[in-house]
Amino acid sequence: MADIRVMIVDDSALVREILTQGLAGAPGITIVGSAEDPYDAVAKIPQLRPDVLTLDVEMPRMNGVEFLRQLMPQHPLPVIMVSAHTESGRKVTLQALEAGALDFVAKPRSRDPQGLQQMLRELHRKIVGAARARVPRPAPETAAAPGTAPGARATTVPQAVLESHAVVIGASTGGTEAVRTLVGALPAACPPVLVTQHMPAGFTRIFAERLNDTCALRASEAVDGHEPQPGELLIAPGGVQMTVVRRGDRAVIRLGDSGKVNGHCPSVEPLMVSAAAVYGPRAVGVILTGMGRDGAEGLRAMREAGARTLAQDEASCVVYGMPKVAWEIGAAERQVPLNEMAGRILTLLSRSKELV
């Protein structure tokens, strides 16, 4: 298999050099060139023919979001954003994902060599995954009203189910937009929705805030000790593992161990394993687009506990990794296109026999 042709776009000559040198020896990658800004990149793309771009988030002449909006119609390439850990950098990164970027890595907070090497390893892994990914099209400017998925208006979830059940979702690469599409189609009259999206600390709060602006559910970053309520959408914070525990007859959020599971923190696995124990058959588990196998065993635990379990189908995935594994090991009982997922979840909830 030919090496992945990578082009680096960054206004900093130092960063371009660091990324070029850091990725030059990585297996399966060839750095075909770099560009100092989006205008330079557009001029070079036809000649260099990159398979994947790395793109700086904040550049003086044109930021990464505007570049993506102009680039994708002409050159629909897989793009990995290189994000600053600043507040503005995080916000622009989330906008870039909405504009068509596949994923992102965060620059180290300092010049710590260990942090830099970790970032380069993560970037290498995501470039390899991006080269095999389906490039998403930017979201349309006018989206459907919140809670209007196929079947959403006609499906009523019983009050007993609203108060006793939960929807548990896991996602990785391509997942920010998949989650946004799915939860944006769920109505406010929905059991609590718990989401683990692979994302570092700081970014998850902004992700939750953006979801809160676009969906009928009340979205927020999860807080330790909180009891999930109907109509709430709780996002696992970056940098810690989120689980649920039983307190009397109620479920309670627990934020704890910061160690990685399946290479991720937060990981989908601990959340789904704990949901299997706490909710049993009173849950719907969903695995969305992403690289690797995180969440597959957790989804299987949920199914074995009596929960209904779904995986996003290959045709609608950006990366058919996590859902593929979940399907192959029998964790998911059905594969569903993303645009039908909300309707399927609501149908399962409305037919639930586990009302207590």
Side-chain angles (χ1 to χ4, degrees):
M1 181 178 177
D3 280 0
I4 301 165
R5 299 169 60 84
V6 178
M7 179 175 173
I8 295 164
V9 184
D10 199 296
D11 66 303
S12 167
L14 176 60
V15 172
R16 293 198 301 273
E17 180 65 19
I18 290 172
L19 295 183
T20 298
Q21 293 298 321
L23 293 171
I29 285 180
T30 296
I31 306 299
V32 296
S34 63
E36 63 184 19
D37 60 37
Y39 297 97
D40 188 25
V42 168
K44 290 179 176 178
I45 285 173
Q47 289 77 37
L48 297 177
R49 296 178 293 106
D51 299 312
V52 178
L53 293 184
T54 74
L55 179 62
D56 187 19
V57 168
E58 297 176 302
M59 292 176 285
R61 296 180 68 192
M62 180 190 296
N63 71 21
V65 176
E66 186 57 34
F67 176 49
L68 282 168
R69 289 171 179 159
Q70 295 188 25
L71 172 74
M72 287 303 176
Q74 303 174 49
H75 304 286
L77 290 167
V79 175
I80 305 296
M81 306 302 295
V82 180
S83 171
H85 258 293
T86 62
E87 184 78 3
S88 62
R90 293 167 183 163
K91 289 180 178 178
V92 174
T93 298
L94 269 294
Q95 292 170 8
L97 296 176
E98 293 169 8
L102 281 183
D103 210 332
F104 72 96
V105 297
K107 294 176 181 177
R109 294 178 182 273
S110 66
R111 295 186 178 181
D112 173 30
Q114 185 175 352
L116 176 60
Q117 289 306 311
Q118 182 177 341
M119 186 270 281
L120 289 170
R121 286 193 296 270
E122 182 182 6
L123 181 57
H124 172 242
R125 178 177 62 84
K126 292 187 175 183
I127 287 171
V128 172
R132 299 193 296 261
R134 181 178 290 103
V135 179
R137 297 297 178 181
E141 291 296 325
T142 55
T148 56
R153 288 177 173 172
T155 304
T156 301
V157 179
Q159 186 63 33
V161 171
L162 292 179
E163 296 176 354
S164 64
H165 286 51
V167 179
V168 184
I169 301 170
S172 186
T173 307
T176 55
E177 287 309 286
V179 168
R180 190 164 74 108
T181 297
L182 170 52
V183 302
L186 292 173
C190 184
V193 179
L194 313 178
V195 176
T196 292
Q197 163 71 46
H198 294 162
M199 193 175 284
F203 291 87
T204 44
R205 175 182 58 80
I206 296 172
F207 181 46
E209 290 172 355
R210 294 186 71 80
L211 290 175
N212 196 54
D213 292 337
T214 59
C215 70
L217 298 166
R218 304 184 304 278
S220 64
E221 192 176 57
V223 176
D224 187 62
H226 177 72
E227 296 183 1
Q229 301 296 318
E232 286 187 333
L233 168 60
L234 303 176
I235 305 297
V240 297
Q241 300 294 359
M242 181 172 85
T243 59
V244 285
V245 297
R246 178 64 63 182
R247 178 190 291 167
D249 62 348
R250 302 292 296 175
V252 176
I253 296 292
R254 276 285 173 266
L255 304 179
D257 183 17
S258 60
K260 292 185 176 181
V261 176
N262 295 332
H264 301 284
C265 189
S267 164
V268 182
E269 211 81 78
L271 175 60
M272 289 194 165
V273 169
S274 68
V278 169
Y279 289 105
R282 299 188 303 274
V284 177
V286 180
I287 294 287
L288 299 177
T289 175
M291 289 188 287
R293 58 178 300 121
D294 187 34
E297 293 297 339
L299 192 71
R300 179 155 64 180
M302 291 186 70
R303 187 174 188 184
E304 290 174 349
R308 307 304 301 269
T309 57
L310 305 171
Q312 186 177 348
D313 75 339
E314 182 175 7
S316 65
C317 277
V318 171
V319 179
Y320 185 56
M322 287 163 49
K324 181 175 187 286
V325 176
W327 176 249
E328 289 177 342
I329 70 170
E333 59 186 278
R334 183 184 294 269
Q335 297 188 89
V336 181
L338 180 61
N339 65 354
E340 298 177 15
M341 188 70 78
R344 174 65 59 176
I345 290 170
L346 294 171
T347 298
L348 293 175
L349 291 169
S350 68
R351 296 174 180 174
S352 177
K353 298 177 182 179
E354 296 291 336
L355 301 181
V356 294

